[in-house]
């Protein structure tokens, strides 16, 4: 067959194995359209991944005979491995000897290397910084990197196309500024510039690898372009909207939201039924004022049902530093009503999955997705145990407002304009005005705690009373949690809600294999 350029997927792999099993003569070469240096080569009965450029060819590894095998290197992983290999070879001493000169990174090379750096532990200001999936996603988006292929997508950031093949030493303020100005949106432009400056400074500081040698850094002086008059008007409107949300949404509205939420969930049947992770995730955010992101990352093993150091009937919930926006371990006391939410979410999910997918399925998440396969990825490269996505919780509000495909009226009509993040503002206002409660209690409860003392050998211990009482300030958090959660429950009851909310009845219909309007 020779060589063809295609997007390599499972079908292509199976085609290569079919030729290998038949003993076909010659060789077949499939050059990937997503990672252009990656090829799948079938030679006789051998099938393997290769990275091929004008300067070198390197074998990545075999493709397992069974695509489901644990030894398989699926397309997505092969593309990522190829990107890493290209970065390593282009900057290694051996490669520099082969090319007889130091290779200067292009913009695309630099982005690939930067993402590789951000995907592992690194040191910033003499402190180890662990990788953050949220940061990686943000950087990929800013640089126009498709998260499925790991390569630049002109459709995502058209103005950055001109940068991709430019050597860093040929880059200048005019070229970079032109690319920035053509990005649509004030915030996206600001984010791109911030990430670009950080990346260029890093490459300049590691010129022995990047070949980025210039007389003096010029990029620190670049400022984001002035917004247009239309963009300024939009910014003013958004600022006013945010102020209105923060001042108009209070604890009584949180209770009213929960009452309407429960009515909405109870009224959904068959294909429109709301998934347990979303139903109980809304409750968790209301009771704890957690951010959407950390809510979805709560793991079952990090929930303690009985808190030996706390109040009777209370438990704890813990997030590790990699799961928190502040990049610090965070623990919350969980009142009995919070444990009811956690346990109901776990029980409802298991009952549902047993019916829709059969027995034996497990998850590590408290608010797990009912999907058993992530949307992104290729074939068996997709994770099969996933939490609900933060955006699914926000989409649930849009669904209640009648803004999705459903034809029902706005269930939230009459409530002040709000987002799920506004619950934190409502909690802040309530706790700051609660009699006898210090500002420190509100700060600790909402995760605005002071930095940990790195010189304290017990500061990171999760088993000592010091971590519980001092580092995590749990007694203060308990005061705030008790005041806030009881006020939310009182508001919920006044709005017509019934406590405790009942778990979904069993059996549940087999409806979750289809796309649902309220699913995750």
């Amino acid at each position: 067959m020779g060589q063809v350029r295609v997007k390599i997927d499972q079908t292509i792999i199976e085609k290569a194995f079919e030729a290998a099993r038949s003993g076909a003569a010659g060789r077949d070469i499939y050059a990937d359209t997503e990672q252009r240096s990656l090829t799948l080569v079938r030679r006789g009965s051998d099938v393997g991944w290769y990275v091929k450029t004008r300067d070198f060819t390197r074998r990545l590894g075999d493709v397992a005979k069974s695509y489901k095998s644990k030894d398989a290197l699926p397309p997505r992983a092969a593309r990522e491995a190829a990107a890493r290999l290209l970065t390593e070879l282009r900057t290694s001493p051996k490669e520099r000897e082969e090319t007889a000169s130091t290779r200067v990174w292009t913009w695309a090379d630099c982005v690939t290397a930067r993402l590789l750096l951000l995907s592992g532990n690194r040191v910033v200001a003499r402190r180890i910084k662990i990788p953050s999936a949220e940061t990686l996603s943000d950087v990929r988006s800013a640089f126009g990197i498709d998260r499925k292929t790991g390569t630049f997508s002109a459709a995502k950031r058209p103005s950055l196309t001109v940068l991709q093949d430019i050597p860093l030493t040929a880059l200048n303020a005019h070229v970079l500024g032109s690319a920035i100005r053509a990005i649509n949106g004030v915030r996206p432009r600001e984010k791109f510039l911030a990430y670009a400056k950080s990346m260029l400074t890093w490459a300049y500081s590691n010129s022995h690898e990047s070949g980025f040698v210039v007389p003096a850094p010029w990029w620190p002086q670049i400022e984001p372009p002035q917004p247009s008059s239309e963009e300024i008007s939009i910014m003013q409107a958004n600022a006013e909207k945010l102020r209105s949300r923060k001042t108009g949404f209070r604890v009584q509205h949180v209770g009213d939201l929960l009452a309407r939420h429960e009515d909405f969930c109870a009224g959904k049947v068959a294909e429109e039924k709301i998934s347990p992770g979303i139903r109980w995730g809304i409750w968790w955010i209301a009771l704890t004022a957690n951010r959407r992101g950390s809510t979805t990352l709560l793991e079952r093993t990090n929930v303690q049902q009985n808190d030996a150091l706390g109040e009777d009937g209370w438990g704890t919930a813990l997030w590790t530093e990699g799961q928190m926006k502040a990049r610090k371990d965070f623990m919350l006391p969980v009142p009995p009503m919070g444990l009811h939410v956690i346990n109901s979410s776990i029980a409802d999910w298991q009952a549902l999955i047993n019916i829709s997918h059969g027995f034996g399925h497990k998850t590590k998440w408290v608010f797990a997705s009912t999907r058993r396969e992530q949307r992104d990825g290729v074939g068996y490269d997709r994770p099969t145990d996933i939490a609900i996505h933060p955006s699914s919780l926000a989409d649930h509000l849009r669904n209640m407002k009648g803004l999705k495909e459903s034809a029902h009226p706005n269930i939230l009509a009459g409530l002040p304009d709000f987002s799920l993040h506004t619950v934190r503002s409502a909690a802040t206002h309530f706790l700051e005005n609660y009699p006898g409660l210090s500002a420190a209690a509100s700060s600790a409860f909402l995760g605005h705690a002071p930095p940990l003392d790195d010189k304290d050998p017990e500061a990171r211990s999760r088993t000592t009373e010091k971590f519980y009482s001092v580092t995590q300030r749990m007694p203060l958090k308990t005061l705030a949690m008790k005041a806030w959660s009881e006020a939310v429950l009182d508001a919920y009851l006044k709005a017509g809600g019934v406590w405790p909310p009942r778990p979904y009845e069993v059996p549940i219909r087999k409806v979750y294999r289809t796309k649902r309007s309220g699913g995750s």
Side-chain angles (χ1 to χ4, degrees):
M1 181 192 71
Q3 177 170 325
V4 294
R5 186 165 289 281
V6 295
K7 179 179 178 179
I8 302 176
D9 56 15
Q10 184 180 0
T11 303
I12 296 298
I13 291 175
E14 291 176 348
K15 184 177 181 180
F17 277 127
E18 184 179 350
R21 287 191 294 268
S22 70
R27 62 177 181 173
D28 301 325
I29 302 175
Y30 300 93
D32 191 36
T33 56
E34 305 298 316
Q35 169 54 266
R36 300 188 69 82
S37 297
L38 179 67
T39 58
L40 178 70
V41 179
R42 194 281 307 173
R43 184 185 290 107
S45 61
D46 175 72
V47 181
W49 292 108
Y50 289 82
V51 175
K52 301 172 69 71
T53 71
R54 289 178 297 179
D55 300 319
F56 60 82
T57 299
R58 297 288 188 275
R59 185 181 177 102
L60 281 178
D62 295 331
V63 179
K65 300 292 169 129
S66 169
Y67 196 67
K68 294 184 180 181
S69 168
K70 66 179 181 179
D71 299 322
L73 187 60
R76 182 179 180 182
R79 292 182 183 106
E80 293 173 351
R84 288 194 297 269
L85 180 63
L86 287 170
T87 300
E88 293 168 2
L89 291 177
R90 287 173 179 172
T91 61
S92 68
K94 182 179 179 181
E95 184 64 19
R96 287 199 293 271
E97 288 176 9
E98 291 175 358
T99 57
S101 63
T102 300
R103 183 188 296 274
V104 178
W105 284 353
T106 63
W107 174 272
D109 293 333
C110 194
V111 171
T112 298
R114 183 64 171 172
L115 289 172
L116 184 62
L117 177 77
L118 295 177
S119 66
N121 290 349
R122 56 197 173 100
V123 176
V124 178
R126 300 190 67 183
R127 294 187 64 177
I128 296 177
K129 198 166 186 178
I130 63 175
S132 162
E134 185 179 354
T135 298
L136 267 172
S137 177
D138 217 24
V139 174
R140 287 194 190 102
S141 177
F143 289 145
I145 304 300
D146 188 288
R147 62 180 178 178
K148 292 184 180 179
T149 65
T151 56
F152 173 72
S153 169
K156 293 181 177 296
R157 286 281 189 266
S159 70
L160 304 188
T161 303
V162 68
L163 300 178
Q164 301 307 307
D165 296 326
I166 293 182
L168 295 183
T169 49
L171 191 66
N172 56 49
H174 173 70
V175 175
L176 186 62
S178 298
I180 294 170
R181 287 191 295 273
I183 295 175
N184 185 30
V186 175
R187 185 58 181 151
R189 290 197 293 267
E190 292 175 344
K191 276 193 174 184
F192 170 79
L193 180 57
Y195 287 134
K197 283 183 175 182
S198 179
M199 180 182 74
L200 292 174
T201 298
W202 169 74
Y204 180 72
S205 301
N206 293 274
S207 58
H208 62 291
E209 296 183 5
S210 65
F212 187 26
V213 179
V214 291
W218 46 266
W219 52 93
Q221 286 72 44
I222 298 181
E223 297 289 338
Q226 273 293 311
S228 66
S229 57
E230 181 180 356
E231 288 173 331
I232 291 174
S233 298
I234 293 174
M235 291 171 65
Q236 290 173 328
N238 288 340
E240 180 56 38
K241 184 177 182 180
L242 182 60
R243 280 193 295 271
S244 175
R245 282 181 173 180
K246 288 185 175 182
T247 58
F249 196 73
R250 295 292 182 246
V251 64
Q252 64 267 27
H253 301 123
V254 177
D256 197 353
L257 163 64
L258 286 176
R260 300 188 194 199
H261 164 69
E262 278 298 295
D263 287 343
F264 182 76
C265 292
K268 293 291 184 181
V269 296
E271 296 180 357
E272 293 184 341
K273 203 168 188 68
I274 307 301
S275 72
I278 290 179
R279 179 196 177 187
W280 298 109
I282 295 293
W283 266 100
W284 181 259
I285 289 175
L287 288 175
T288 65
N290 254 196
R291 293 182 174 89
R292 284 184 296 153
S294 55
T295 292
T296 62
L297 294 177
L298 181 58
E299 298 183 28
R300 296 182 179 188
T301 55
N302 287 336
V303 173
Q304 184 178 359
Q305 296 282 341
N306 297 295
D307 182 7
L309 298 175
E311 296 197 16
D312 290 340
W314 285 53
T316 63
L318 174 72
W319 291 263
T320 59
E321 57 182 341
Q323 296 172 326
M324 295 300 296
K325 183 178 181 181
R327 296 293 169 258
K328 291 178 175 60
D329 293 337
F330 183 68
M331 182 185 284
L332 268 182
V334 182
M337 66 186 80
L339 292 176
H340 174 77
V341 167
I342 288 174
N343 295 329
S344 295
S345 181
I346 291 173
D348 280 354
W349 183 90
Q350 195 63 62
L352 173 65
I353 290 298
N354 287 347
I355 293 173
S356 63
H357 290 77
F359 291 88
H361 287 269
K362 303 295 181 183
T363 180
K364 66 179 181 180
W365 309 107
V366 170
F367 304 106
S369 172
T370 51
R371 300 180 67 90
R372 294 281 71 207
E373 189 175 276
Q374 188 165 299
R375 291 181 177 91
D376 298 334
V378 179
Y380 294 93
D381 194 26
R382 300 175 184 166
T384 57
D385 180 19
I386 52 178
I388 58 171
H389 197 278
S391 64
S392 295
L393 293 166
D395 283 344
H396 177 67
L397 294 189
R398 295 183 64 249
N399 194 18
M400 290 179 69
K401 292 178 180 178
L403 298 177
K404 297 188 75 173
E405 297 174 0
S406 53
H408 59 70
N410 182 3
I411 307 299
L412 301 180
L415 285 177
D417 181 47
F418 74 100
S419 68
L420 287 176
H421 195 78
T422 315
V423 173
R424 290 176 63 81
S425 299
T428 299
H429 177 269
F430 174 83
L431 295 173
E432 286 178 347
N433 292 277
Y434 192 83
L437 198 65
S438 68
S442 173
S443 176
F445 173 65
L446 294 169
H448 299 155
L452 297 177
D453 183 0
D454 289 336
K455 295 180 181 179
D456 185 345
E458 292 183 290
R460 293 285 176 181
S461 171
R462 297 182 191 168
T463 59
T464 63
E465 188 173 350
K466 180 176 181 63
F467 177 86
Y468 180 97
S469 299
V470 180
T471 304
Q472 287 295 325
R473 304 196 290 180
M474 291 294 277
L476 280 177
K477 289 179 182 177
T478 300
L479 292 174
M481 174 67 84
K482 194 168 189 176
W484 170 251
S485 60
E486 289 181 355
V488 169
L489 179 57
D490 183 58
Y492 169 70
L493 296 174
K494 287 180 178 177
V498 177
W499 183 264
R502 294 181 61 186
Y504 285 140
E505 293 183 2
V506 179
I508 303 174
R509 288 193 196 177
K510 291 186 178 181
V511 299
Y512 285 81
R513 290 186 184 278
T514 60
K515 184 177 180 181
R516 296 164 291 113
S517 60
S520 61

